[in-house]
């Protein structure tokens, strides 16, 4: 996967076996975007760029008036020298102006990929896995170097991009905008797709045609958010799950972001993603460097399915880290929906006893074990055991649970503080706030100011104490509100707009330290469900609580949408009680199990109160899950039927060697007098002979893929089935 540099033509070619990305330095100054897509070999790249004089498109090169930045497809465009489209960056110099003139200065190509200082990013385990190009642009008057970092992987059809600004001048400047990447894609007759939602309804898919002008999604909530995921994709009109061009970009960041596409009158689509420039400024002093978060860029000619499989692979293998990266996860019981705040030691023992009997492997104690927390009105910040509920402490509870043969885990929400807490009474200035202004509450809590080093140090000490106080194998890291009155008591006035990004840097520092110090702990991130389900969090915590909505029907859409980018091994999915606590729906236990088994299976209900019949269902499904969970966790996903299109949903996971598959089918509402239905499978070996659920009947792979698996006639609502497909050796 070399990066070739043709000095004469001024062209960089980044390629692996499947993709190519081409950049040309035009007039020795401007990095123009030539191409991103399927691998190309023989080409005359200089012929890709065509120039024509356009009225009202100014030129920086009077000797060549056909040239204008306004119409040049660019790699990292500025505003102010003739390009009137959305710029990738904007810098205010000491004289108050924002006009910059960055031009190509030099470049470096090296094997491997460097980590990003203080930020999560895709990594390599061996230098031979990737090659990196750093293109340096300089504005001599400002004294700033702008490094455009590009990495191409050998085994993933992924390019990563980020930008760093190095100040070697003498006067402070302010960065007002600095996207992680920008690319001008030829043509505009694309659709675009993104994931939107709200609490309990995260990551629903929306596909729309591109229009002229700017279309944008963003978050200004201080978190990547339930509302929009930091991801967008452009797709050809005829792209579906299996075929068609897709360009997907995802940001490895958990805070405010913006992703936008601008279509200009000459049918170019400018695609960009990065920190949300709204309410953001970064003061760069001489000698300092600012590093943007990293963007993952995936091109697929195999439709949305191909794009997802590539995102899954890079996230699973080169963004997630730690000992759990390559391990299936324990089946857990979480007491939240079983007890909410109302538990004592005896109740937890009962749940643990029942869990053991059912074959569950990990017990998770959720919210309410600390301070004097009997509801959500107090105690965040006071991370000491609530002795009324746990007289023998966390270690007493953990001992009981471990003696049963279960692992033990706890819930924390370290980033927050309750106004009713000793911590807040002692340090009222430790939360994000603006002096003299109201402190808006959400779930009766305020956010600790993680942009402050002293606050982060306090949290690191607190966590070290809590995580060392018992044998803890799992931590659910929650975060239950978004930022308001964003300001920091520790920052000077001209740096206030750095608060939200500095908060993320503080959070990443804490998470980096904790995951290093406690490598045996499996961390699951959560933000009222999936309010911070993003690649940045996955770098530290290899799974996320997908949604607080555990209804089996709602979860089909949530998990299907989430799977556009995130692999099943990163999704927490629990079987909960009926009527469901979020929507009141009653679905069979079997369907609830089957939905949760399509990700990291867990339970979140009073399992000590289950009937014998229900216990039997749970035990059987746990057994079934053990048969297929390695395929769910590490297999290739094929989405077969979308819950956004009707009453039927189906997806399947295929083992890397294509010898096994797990197929999941769900029907929400039944149809009277239904037709026969065959489910066409994907990803199998055409000439392989397979058996289904250990039965005698043999099927060729191409039969299952082209004719399909005949499903039973279904005459009831909320039907589901799981098929284990295995290659059969005669
Ligand atoms: C929100 C989470 O998403 C829930 O699962 C639960 O942990 C509650 N917080 C506890 O307060």
């Amino acid at each position: 996967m070399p990066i070739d540099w043709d000095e004469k033509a001024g062209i960089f070619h980044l390629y692996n076996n499947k993709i190519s990305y081409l950049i040309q330095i035009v007039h020795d100054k401007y990095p123009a975007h030539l191409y991103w897509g399927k691998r190309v070999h023989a080409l005359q790249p200089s012929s890709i760029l065509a120039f024509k004089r356009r009225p009202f498109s100014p030129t920086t090169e009077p000797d060549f008036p056909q040239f204008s930045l306004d119409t040049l497809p660019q790699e990292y465009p500025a505003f102010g020298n003739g390009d009137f489209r959305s710029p990738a960056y904007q810098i205010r110099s000491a004289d108050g102006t924002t006009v910059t003139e960055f031009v190509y200065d030099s470049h470096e190509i090296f094997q491997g990929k460097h980590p990003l200082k203080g930020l999560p990013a895709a990594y390599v385990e061996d230098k031979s896995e990737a090659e990196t190009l750093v293109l340096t642009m300089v504005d001599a008057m400002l004294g700033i170097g702008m490094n455009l970092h590009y990495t191409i992987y050998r085994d993933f059809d992924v390019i990563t991009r980020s930008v760093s600004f190095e100040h070697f001048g003498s006067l402070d400047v302010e960065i007002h905008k600095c996207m992680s990447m920008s690319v001008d894609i030829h043509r505009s007759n694309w659709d675009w797709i993104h994931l939107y939602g709200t609490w309990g309804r995260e990551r629903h898919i929306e596909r729309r045609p591109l229009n002229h002008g700017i279309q944008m999604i963003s978050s200004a909530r201080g978190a990547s958010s339930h509302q929009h995921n930091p991801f967008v994709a452009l797709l050809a009109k005829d792209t579906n799950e299996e075929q068609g061009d897709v360009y997907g970009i995802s940001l490895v960041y958990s805070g405010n972001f913006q992703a936008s596409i601008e279509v200009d009158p000459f049918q170019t689509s400018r695609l960009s993603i990065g920190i949300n420039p709204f309410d953001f400024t970064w003061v760069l002093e001489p000698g300092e460097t600012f590093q943007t978060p990293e963007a993952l860029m995936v091109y697929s000619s195999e439709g949305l399915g191909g794009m997802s499989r590539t995102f899954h692979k890079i996230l699973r293998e080169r963004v997630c880290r730690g000992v759990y990266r390559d391990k299936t996860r324990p089946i857990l019981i979480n007491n939240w929906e079983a007890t909410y705040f109302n538990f004592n030691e005896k109740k937890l023992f009962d749940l643990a006893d029942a869990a053991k009997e059912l074959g569950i492997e990990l017990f998770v104690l959720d919210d309410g074990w600390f301070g004097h927390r009997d509801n959500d009105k107090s105690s965040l910040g006071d991370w000491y055991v609530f002795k009324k509920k746990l007289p023998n402490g966390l270690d007493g509870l953990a001992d009981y649970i471990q003696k049963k043969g279960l692992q033990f885990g706890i819930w924390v929400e370290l980033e927050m503080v309750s106004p009713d807490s000793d911590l807040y009474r002692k340090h009222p200035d430790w939360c994000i706030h603006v002096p003299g202004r109201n402190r808006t509450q959400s779930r009766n809590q305020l956010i600790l100011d993680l942009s402050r080093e002293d606050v982060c140090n306090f949290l690191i000490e607190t966590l070290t104490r809590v995580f060392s106080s018992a044998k803890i194998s799992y931590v659910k890291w929650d975060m239950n509100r978004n930022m308001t009155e964003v300001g920091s008591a520790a920052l000077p006035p001209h740096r206030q707009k750095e608060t939200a990004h500095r908060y993320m840097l503080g959070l990443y520092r804490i998470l980096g330290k904790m995951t290093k110090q406690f490598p045996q702990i499996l961390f699951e991130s959560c933000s009222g469900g999936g309010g911070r389900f993003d690649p940045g969090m996955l770098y530290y915590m290899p799974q996320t609580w997908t949604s607080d909505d555990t209804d089996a029907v709602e979860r089909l859409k949530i998990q299907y949408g989430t799977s556009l980018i995130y692999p099943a091994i990163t999704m927490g999915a629990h079987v909960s009680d009926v009527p469901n606590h979020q929507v009141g729906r009653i679905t069979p236990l079997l369907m609830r199990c089957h939905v949760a088994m399509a990700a990291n299976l867990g339970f979140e209900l009073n399992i000590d109160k289950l009937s014998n019949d229900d216990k039997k269902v749970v035990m059987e499904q746990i057994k079934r899950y053990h048969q297929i969970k390695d395929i769910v966790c590490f297999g290739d996903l094929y989405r077969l039927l979308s819950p956004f299109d009707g009453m039927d949903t189906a997806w399947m996971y295929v083992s890397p060697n294509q010898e096994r598959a797990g197929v999941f089918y769900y029907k929400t509402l039944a149809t009277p007098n239904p037709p026969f239905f065959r489910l066409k499978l994907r990803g199998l070996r055409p000439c392989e002979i397979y058996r289904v659920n250990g039965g005698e009947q043999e099927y060729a792979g191409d039969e299952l893929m082209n004719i399909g698996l005949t499903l039973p006639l279904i005459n009831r609502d909320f039907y589901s089935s799981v098929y284990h497909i295995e290659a059969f050796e005669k």
Side-chain angles (χ1 to χ4, degrees):
M1 69 6 301
I3 298 177
D4 288 348
W5 163 233
D6 177 343
E7 192 166 357
K8 203 157 154 257
I11 287 170
F12 296 98
H13 187 183
L14 293 72
Y15 62 93
N16 63 21
N17 283 338
K18 290 227 194 112
I19 57 168
S20 283
Y21 192 100
L22 285 146
I23 303 162
Q24 182 171 12
I25 307 295
V26 179
H27 294 299
D28 294 332
K29 290 184 189 162
Y30 311 106
H33 178 73
L34 293 188
Y35 174 77
W36 173 27
K38 229 181 219 174
R39 169 75 196 271
V40 288
H41 291 86
L43 78 161
Q44 298 295 323
S46 45
S47 65
I48 297 176
L49 286 182
F51 298 97
K52 178 170 178 355
R53 192 172 182 168
R54 308 267 182 196
F56 284 83
S57 287
T59 186
T60 49
E61 312 292 306
D63 295 341
F64 184 38
Q66 299 91 316
F67 178 85
S68 173
L69 293 170
D70 197 27
T71 50
L72 184 73
Q74 293 182 71
E75 281 294 315
Y76 204 66
F79 182 82
N81 335 86
D83 187 343
F84 299 107
R85 298 167 290 180
S86 304
Y89 66 98
Q90 190 173 43
I91 295 175
R92 181 182 186 273
S93 60
D95 67 9
T97 63
T98 52
V99 173
T100 51
E101 284 174 348
F102 281 91
V103 291
Y104 170 76
D105 177 78
S106 55
H107 71 266
E108 189 194 354
I109 294 172
F110 57 88
Q111 280 224 315
K113 180 178 193 291
H114 298 324
L116 263 55
K117 199 163 168 258
L119 285 165
Y123 58 90
V124 292
E125 288 197 328
D126 186 283
K127 277 187 178 168
S128 63
E129 290 177 12
E131 203 155 292
T132 297
L133 162 70
V134 182
L135 254 181
T136 299
M137 315 271 295
V138 170
D139 182 316
M141 198 168 144
L142 275 181
I144 293 189
M146 187 167 81
N147 303 309
L148 310 184
H149 304 252
Y150 299 80
T151 295
I152 180 150
Y153 277 84
R154 182 190 57 209
D155 300 329
F156 308 108
D157 301 331
V158 176
I159 286 169
T160 67
R161 282 187 62 178
S162 74
V163 181
S164 59
F165 296 86
E166 277 178 74
H167 195 344
F168 51 81
S170 53
L171 296 171
D172 287 6
V173 300
E174 285 176 4
I175 301 175
H176 287 193
K177 183 176 185 184
C178 52
M179 302 313 275
S180 297
M181 56 73 60
S182 176
V183 65
D184 287 343
I185 295 182
H186 179 57
R187 296 205 294 127
S188 64
N189 54 341
W190 307 98
D191 281 348
W192 69 295
I193 207 164
H194 68 107
L195 300 173
Y196 75 99
T198 179
W199 175 87
R201 193 154 40 82
E202 298 93 332
R203 290 174 299 286
H204 281 214
I205 297 175
E206 187 162 67
R207 179 174 178 162
R208 291 188 261 167
L210 273 189
N211 293 322
H212 283 99
I214 300 175
Q215 26 260 292
M216 184 170 94
I217 55 157
S218 65
S219 166
R221 293 170 168 264
S224 47
S225 87
H226 297 91
Q227 282 67 17
H228 292 290
N229 204 258
F231 152 83
V232 285
L234 292 186
L235 336 97
K237 292 282 178 197
D238 61 351
T239 292
N240 56 28
E241 274 298 319
E242 284 146 41
Q243 60 87 34
D245 282 340
V246 187
Y247 296 92
I249 53 172
S250 159
L251 192 65
V252 190
Y253 189 60
S254 315
N256 296 335
F257 76 93
Q258 185 192 84
S260 76
I261 307 150
E262 178 167 3
V263 178
D264 75 11
F266 304 109
Q267 316 303 4
T268 299
S269 306
R270 173 165 291 175
L271 178 65
S272 73
I273 197 164
I275 292 178
N276 192 345
F278 171 71
D279 213 27
F280 166 83
T281 300
W282 192 272
V283 178
L284 197 64
E285 291 180 12
E288 287 182 344
T289 296
F290 181 83
Q291 172 67 57
T292 71
E294 181 168 274
L296 306 175
M297 303 169 60
V298 170
Y299 163 76
S300 157
S301 59
E302 290 163 21
L304 281 168
M307 176 199 75
S308 298
R309 288 186 287 280
T310 302
F311 272 124
H312 293 178
K313 229 169 165 244
I314 183 107
L315 289 173
R316 201 166 50 205
E317 297 176 24
R318 290 296 179 269
V319 173
C320 291
R321 298 173 305 157
V323 290
Y324 277 96
R325 186 191 71 180
D326 303 325
K327 283 192 189 167
T328 58
R329 314 286 158 77
I331 301 172
L332 65 81
I333 170 73
N334 177 306
N335 72 308
W336 179 243
E337 286 202 8
T339 66
Y340 293 103
F341 293 103
N342 186 18
F343 61 84
N344 55 28
E345 214 178 40
K346 161 84 176 57
K347 174 67 190 175
L348 301 179
F349 288 171
D350 290 348
L351 284 173
D353 294 347
K356 181 64 195 169
E357 194 190 329
L358 293 171
I360 291 170
E361 298 155 314
L362 163 69
F363 180 95
V364 179
L365 173 59
D366 210 279
D367 195 354
W369 60 265
F370 52 92
H372 59 101
R373 192 154 162 99
D374 273 326
N375 51 46
D376 63 15
K377 294 204 171 72
S378 81
S379 302
L380 293 169
D382 298 344
W383 298 99
Y384 294 94
V385 172
F386 191 2
K387 287 282 173 132
K388 182 184 91 179
K389 292 183 186 175
L390 299 178
N392 297 300
L394 277 183
D395 48 340
L397 176 64
D399 274 358
Y400 180 89
I401 283 165
Q402 273 142 16
K403 279 194 187 119
K404 290 228 88 71
L406 298 172
Q407 299 174 51
F408 175 66
I410 53 164
W411 176 98
V412 292
E413 192 179 0
L414 257 291
E415 297 166 64
M416 300 289 151
V417 64
S418 309
D420 177 8
S421 67
D422 292 343
L423 183 69
Y424 188 70
R425 282 182 281 272
K426 196 166 163 203
H427 295 291
D429 58 335
W430 271 17
C431 66
I432 288 191
H433 71 286
V434 174
R437 300 267 177 216
N438 181 42
R439 299 180 181 192
T440 300
Q441 293 188 20
S442 179
R443 208 193 189 206
N444 310 299
Q445 61 200 54
L446 300 166
I447 306 185
L448 284 172
D449 181 358
L450 269 56
S451 75
R452 294 175 65 138
E453 210 178 329
D454 52 353
V455 174
C456 292
N457 290 342
F458 166 80
L459 292 178
I460 290 168
E461 277 167 37
T462 305
L463 286 167
T464 304
R465 175 176 51 75
V466 172
F467 294 168
S468 312
S469 69
K471 203 160 167 260
I472 293 171
S473 312
Y474 164 102
V475 165
K476 177 173 172 187
W477 183 288
D478 207 349
M479 192 281 275
N480 281 298
R481 64 158 293 179
N482 293 142
M483 289 181 190
T484 54
E485 292 90 27
V486 183
S488 170
L491 289 174
H494 64 296
R495 288 196 180 268
Q496 286 298 320
K497 282 183 165 200
E498 297 175 10
T499 308
H501 181 58
R502 284 187 182 273
Y503 178 97
M504 293 317 307
L505 296 177
L507 174 62
Y508 289 147
R509 181 164 80 87
I510 296 172
L511 291 173
K513 275 206 178 294
M514 288 301 103
T515 46
K516 203 164 174 197
Q517 202 171 323
F518 297 95
Q520 80 287 359
I521 294 182
L522 167 61
F523 284 86
E524 174 158 346
S525 86
C526 171
S527 172
R532 214 165 47 181
F533 201 141
D534 57 64
M537 281 292 131
L538 289 176
Y539 182 75
Y540 301 97
M541 309 195 246
Q543 61 187 62
T544 304
W545 177 225
T546 313
S547 175
D548 275 348
D549 191 342
T550 47
D551 170 61
V553 175
E554 286 295 304
R555 270 294 183 122
L556 293 176
K557 284 187 177 155
I558 295 169
Q559 292 177 202
Y560 189 100
T562 305
S563 81
L564 225 50
I565 318 159
Y566 305 100
I569 195 171
T570 63
M571 295 185 218
H574 297 175
V575 174
S576 63
D577 209 355
V578 286
N580 176 266
H581 294 193
Q582 289 76 34
V583 294
R585 187 177 286 125
I586 297 178
T587 52
L589 181 58
L590 188 64
M591 182 183 186
R592 282 175 275 149
C593 286
H594 285 168
V595 174
M597 284 161 63
N600 290 315
L601 173 64
F603 293 83
E604 194 162 329
L605 74 169
N606 280 303
I607 47 172
D608 52 331
K609 302 263 163 22
L610 289 180
S611 68
N612 285 338
D613 283 351
D614 282 352
K615 277 188 190 160
K616 218 172 131 212
V617 172
V618 169
M619 284 194 280
E620 274 167 10
Q621 294 315 307
I622 285 182
K623 205 165 140 211
R624 167 55 65 94
Y625 185 60
H626 281 301
Q627 290 168 347
I628 56 168
K629 75 174 180 176
D630 62 316
I631 325 176
V632 172
C633 289
F634 304 111
D636 282 334
L637 172 73
Y638 293 83
R639 288 177 294 259
L640 307 176
L641 299 169
S642 168
F644 294 96
D645 292 343
M647 296 298 167
D648 301 283
T649 301
W651 48 57
M652 67 184 287
Y653 303 89
V654 181
S655 66
N657 63 8
Q658 294 172 293
E659 287 183 1
R660 292 164 59 225
V663 179
F664 294 74
Y665 170 77
Y666 313 91
K667 180 159 201 88
T668 47
L669 297 185
T671 310
N673 200 12
F676 284 108
F677 183 65
R678 291 198 196 97
L679 184 64
K680 289 188 184 183
L681 306 188
R682 294 274 165 264
L684 301 174
R685 281 205 211 119
C687 298
E688 189 73 69
I689 300 299
Y690 294 93
R691 285 186 170 182
V692 179
N693 286 343
E696 291 294 304
Q697 173 81 44
E698 293 176 4
Y699 303 88
D702 53 8
E703 183 184 348
L704 289 171
M705 293 193 287
N706 297 320
I707 300 175
L709 187 67
T710 304
L711 298 180
L713 282 177
I714 296 151
N715 61 357
R716 61 176 190 276
D717 294 347
F718 310 130
Y719 170 87
S720 64
S721 51
V722 174
Y723 301 93
H724 185 195
I725 313 262
E726 289 174 288
F728 177 65
E729 298 265 333
K730 286 209 187 229

